[in-house]
Amino acid sequence: MGTLGTRLQSREFLACGLAALASISLGALGAALFPQRPLAVLLTAIVGALATALASAAWASAERRALAGEQRRLETQIAQLEAALEDANEAANQAHAARGHFLAAMNHELRTPLNAIIGFGQLLEMHGLSKEHGECLRPILRSGRHLLSLVNELLEISQIETNRLELSPEPVLIRELVNDVMDLMLPAAAHRNVSLGTEGVAEPDRFVRADRYRLKQVLLNLVSNAVKFNKDGGRATVAVTEPSPGRLRLSVSDTGPGLRSDDFARIFTPFDRLDAGRLGIEGTGLGLTLAKGLVERMGGTIGVESALGNGSTFWIELEETSAPVRQAVERPRSAQSLAGRVVVLQIEDNISNTNLIEHVLAERPRIQVMTALQGRLGIDLARDHRPSLILLDLNLPDIHGFDVLRALMTDGATADLPVIVISAHVSPGQASRALSLGARAVLEKPLDIPAFLNLVDDVLSASPEASCRPVP
């Protein structure tokens, strides 16, 4: 029993003892004064009852005082705990802020020398080195790109953990998303002799609520892994199912070596690449960690099912939603044939700007817009798909737009592709530099939409099969 209970019990025993003693004493006195037994008994009972009532009142008063003291003590303890909790929260907030500032500073400090390493390495590569020197240069460029990828993924994971990652939830059409990702992965899959397939994707339109660009990033990562960690002549499949009412599941399956059950807990751990290093597959070990963070931020779940020797299936579950309500807009259509499609690649990380460009270029029905949110991914997509036009922002999250432009113009596979630079801050010096590096034009935001469309038409008209200029 606690201190308060002990005190209250002692007072209760004392009060009862006093009442009993008073009753006995007064009973004896009554018997002496009133020889008639009934009167003595009655007096004794009355006096005893009064004594008991007085003792109980005294005990209750003492109990109230004890409870009030205990309450004050507990209130003091609660106030101290609340102050300690507030101090701990403040310390945690300061630690988060310090971490964010540190990562931002390290992001800049690491990227600056990496740009020089990769940039000068590419310049050396351009000048036709000897076979021996070329073999020395390739690991330098590969390691530089690996470090750059690591910096990018660490920064994005930090934004997720500190709740600074901005998302734009909207209804996302599953069929369109899957087809876009499979189209992007076709060159890599062909290179590794892996076939791509889908199941349940061509069904009636179904939508999930998510950030379209982030979900595409996650699915692209999963399909890329299914291609990388597959066997020669294997298959990677994206399937759409409904595990429960109101939920849709995107599953990415491969025919690779599979995973051991005790690896499941490690698969989403940062930097844990399982057997990837032994198999010679490049990566940072952060892709699945980043995917998990993005899916959970979008209100979904991610998991894996696998058996050693039988391949693996990574799945994403998200909330199903209805199709967005759109008003039909009549656009003047070109009399030109729409049999072919003209691909325009925009390398831009701002979601509002990418949406704007998509809506503007919808005025040219033959144009298909492809988007890369990072510079390095934009370079890869340009090499794989050779778009008819590239729209390049300068302020990108991984490498600077000038480095992207330099990489495009110095690569034999992309050097002939027209590039229009678009940026919110373009000084005369920056514009001259972009043009000297090979850009066809430099535009400043906000865009003059009619002038922008005219420029796009002029650039594309240089290639008759890519021209999208409306016919009067």
Side-chain angles (χ1 to χ4, degrees), residues 391-411:
L391 306 176
L392 174 64
D393 182 39
L394 291 181
N395 298 308
L396 297 170
D398 53 347
I399 58 178
H400 197 277
F402 283 136
D403 297 315
V404 176
L405 182 58
R406 185 183 296 108
L408 292 172
M409 294 296 103
T410 56
D411 190 327

Side-chain angles (χ1 to χ4, degrees), residues 190-398:
H191 177 71
R192 299 186 67 89
N193 192 28
V194 173
S195 62
L196 300 178
T198 61
E199 295 177 2
V201 175
E203 294 181 359
D205 292 350
R206 306 190 76 169
F207 295 80
V208 293
R209 183 163 183 78
D211 183 303
R212 180 161 63 97
Y213 291 96
R214 301 299 182 185
L215 181 57
K216 185 175 181 179
Q217 180 181 357
V218 171
L219 187 59
L220 191 60
N221 178 274
L222 296 182
V223 177
S224 176
N225 284 348
V227 170
K228 289 179 183 177
F229 296 94
N230 218 316
K231 63 183 180 182
D232 184 53
R235 183 174 179 79
T237 305
V238 178
V240 180
T241 57
E242 184 180 1
S244 60
R247 304 283 289 183
L248 286 183
R249 173 178 285 196
L250 283 167
S251 301
V252 181
S253 303
D254 62 62
T255 54
L259 299 169
R260 296 182 295 269
S261 58
D262 55 355
D263 288 335
F264 290 1
R266 300 168 49 197
I267 198 70
F268 297 105
T269 303
F271 302 108
D272 197 336
R273 302 184 60 219
L274 298 180
D275 293 329
R278 180 179 59 79
L279 297 173
I281 299 174
E282 292 187 355
T284 62
L286 290 174
L288 289 175
T289 304
L290 180 57
K292 184 175 186 293
L294 289 173
V295 170
E296 290 177 350
R297 279 292 309 277
M298 291 185 287
T301 54
I302 185 170
V304 59
E305 299 170 359
S306 183
L308 201 61
N310 292 323
S312 303
T313 298
F314 286 83
W315 52 264
I316 308 164
E317 282 188 14
L318 291 163
E319 174 191 355
E320 186 174 11
T321 188
S322 56
V325 178
R326 293 192 176 101
Q327 295 181 348
V329 178
E330 290 294 331
R331 292 193 178 99
R333 298 181 63 83
S334 168
Q336 194 172 1
S337 171
L338 301 183
R341 302 292 287 174
V342 177
V343 176
V344 173
L345 169 64
Q346 59 169 334
I347 306 176
E348 164 71 74
D349 68 316
N350 185 283
I351 304 301
S352 299
N353 291 333
T354 59
N355 289 336
L356 173 64
I357 293 297
E358 287 179 356
H359 282 85
V360 171
L361 293 183
E363 298 293 327
R364 301 293 185 261
R366 285 188 59 197
I367 288 181
Q368 176 184 349
V369 180
M370 182 183 299
T371 301
L373 299 178
Q374 296 180 345
R376 187 170 59 85
L377 178 59
I379 295 171
D380 292 339
L381 292 179
R383 288 171 180 161
D384 289 339
H385 297 274
R386 288 188 49 78
S388 300
L389 173 63
I390 299 173
L391 306 176
L392 174 64
D393 182 39
L394 291 181
N395 298 308
L396 297 170
D398 53 347

Side-chain angles (χ1 to χ4, degrees), residues 122-142:
Q122 290 174 336
L123 286 175
L124 290 173
E125 193 177 37
M126 287 173 50
H127 288 82
L129 299 177
S130 66
K131 180 179 178 181
E132 180 181 357
H133 289 163
E135 290 177 352
C136 294
L137 179 62
R138 278 191 289 275
I140 294 175
L141 289 173
R142 185 170 60 252

Side-chain angles (χ1 to χ4, degrees), residues 52-71:
T52 302
L54 290 173
S56 298
W59 174 77
S61 177
E63 181 183 17
R64 284 195 298 271
R65 288 195 298 271
L67 288 173
E70 189 70 12
Q71 181 179 1

